[in-house]
Amino acid sequence: MKIGVFDSGLGGLVITRAFIKALPEYDYVYYGDTKHLPYGEKTSGRILNYTLEAVKFLISQDCAIIIIACNTATSIALRYIQQRFIPEYAPDVKVLGVVIPTVEEALEAHTAKVGVVATNATVRSHIYQTELHKIRPELEVEEIAAPKLVPAIEDNDFALAEALSKEYAAAFSNIDSLILGCTHYPLVKEYFRKSLPSVRVVSQDELMGAKLADYLHRHTEINCRLSQNGTHNFYVSKINKHYQLLANMLFPGIDIHEH
Ligand code: DGL
């Protein structure tokens, strides 16, 4: 059986690349819901429905573990999927998100004030603030939505993405750590680092590989069900020229299918 990775678009390919780097021998299936992107601007009900469909698709592709790499889908849908959907529909499948591992990583270093930059829906859910406060209630948290960044990245407009990153970075006050709470932001992490040189920028592409390796090491009951032929299958709900370009930039020679 395989490792499934889901994102609302192609940003999750960056996280998939990190998984493959850490665990190259496993078999992966990627699904990007490019037809409904951006999730960050959708209602919670629609985000939940789209995420459920994506998880069902990955289950049909023989995935024993599914990582919802999309922060927005994790914020809105993960709890329902873990607690209500999976126990009835596919009790043998494990579904994980990206928020908890990111919060753990952010709190590894000393920090007094954490900034979070994410989509509108993620910020509205306050999931990062909630999870950070569960571990450290006294921590100051400032969450800022950056709705213009994802469209700029998906359009391959990195000049605009740089200007926007600078603008969003400048909106934070006195943070010492910054969580990039969106699958697409690893692609602009250096712009944030340049704008905030004394801030520890936590980027999911730099932590998720080790987190998944650690998880599989601790959960041998899942690990022993995973096949290891090094195959990669990529699916999106809608392909266009821009997406093909972005996908090729992340995985040269990628063969991407529409589903
Ligand atoms: N994948 C989303 C996330 O990580 C960003 C793109 C979107 O808004 O759908 O929050």
Side-chain angles (χ1 to χ4, degrees):
M1 294 189 82
K2 297 165 189 159
I3 298 175
V5 185
F6 165 60
D7 184 35
S8 56
L10 293 178
L13 286 177
V14 184
I15 308 301
T16 308
R17 208 167 49 173
F19 290 148
I20 294 172
K21 197 168 164 212
L23 301 159
E25 59 280 19
Y26 289 83
D27 297 311
Y28 294 86
V29 185
Y30 181 84
Y31 182 62
D33 189 10
T34 47
K35 194 166 156 189
H36 299 119
L37 183 98
Y39 280 19
E41 301 302 307
K42 303 279 188 302
T43 61
S44 299
R46 288 179 75 182
I47 295 166
L48 178 59
N49 284 338
Y50 296 148
T51 307
L52 272 172
E53 289 311 309
V55 167
K56 282 184 198 165
F57 172 67
L58 288 170
I59 291 171
S60 78
Q61 295 300 302
D62 231 13
C63 294
I65 180 166
I66 296 168
I67 297 99
I68 299 185
C70 177
N71 287 255
T72 306
T74 298
S75 308
I76 307 299
L78 181 66
R79 182 183 291 231
Y80 177 89
I81 287 172
Q82 285 176 333
Q83 295 180 357
R84 309 286 288 275
F85 174 73
I86 285 294
E88 280 212 4
Y89 189 89
D92 292 343
V93 175
K94 192 80 199 163
V95 181
L96 305 173
V98 281
V99 170
I100 305 274
T102 307
V103 162
E104 285 169 1
E105 180 74 16
L107 295 179
E108 281 280 309
H110 171 79
T111 173
K113 183 171 179 187
V114 177
V116 179
V117 60
T119 64
N120 268 326
T122 301
V123 167
R124 209 171 53 228
S125 78
H126 295 299
I127 191 165
Y128 275 103
Q129 182 174 292
T130 306
E131 295 300 335
L132 285 162
H133 281 162
K134 274 186 197 164
I135 303 174
R136 222 178 283 167
E138 75 289 357
L139 191 72
E140 263 198 88
V141 181
E142 186 178 9
E143 297 171 300
I144 290 182
K148 295 183 198 155
L149 254 183
V150 166
I153 296 168
E154 291 270 330
D155 285 348
N156 259 329
D157 190 346
F158 282 91
L160 176 61
E162 179 166 15
L164 289 168
S165 304
K166 214 168 142 185
E167 209 178 286
Y168 289 124
F172 287 100
S173 58
N174 299 322
I175 54 169
D176 53 38
S177 309
L178 175 64
I179 290 175
L180 301 182
C182 174
T183 43
H184 291 60
Y185 301 170
L187 292 167
V188 293
K189 64 185 175 186
E190 296 312 331
Y191 304 148
F192 278 96
R193 286 188 170 136
K194 211 163 97 188
S195 302
L196 299 165
S198 57
V199 168
R200 179 172 174 254
V201 174
V202 178
S203 186
Q204 289 168 339
D205 61 321
E206 294 167 8
L207 64 102
M208 284 306 296
K211 291 284 184 189
L212 181 60
D214 176 56
Y215 184 89
L216 292 179
H217 184 69
R218 285 183 292 110
H219 291 84
T220 46
E221 78 285 2
I222 296 171
N223 199 19
C224 70
R225 294 169 60 212
L226 296 174
S227 49
Q228 302 195 13
N229 303 307
T231 64
H232 311 145
N233 285 295
F234 299 100
Y235 297 91
V236 291
S237 48
K238 189 175 137 207
I239 187 83
N240 65 25
K241 254 188 166 172
H242 270 319
Y243 291 149
Q244 195 74 59
L245 213 76
L246 186 66
N248 264 288
M249 192 177 96
L250 297 169
F251 280 91
I254 187 173
D255 198 9
I256 203 156
H257 306 280
E258 218 173 56
H259 168 79

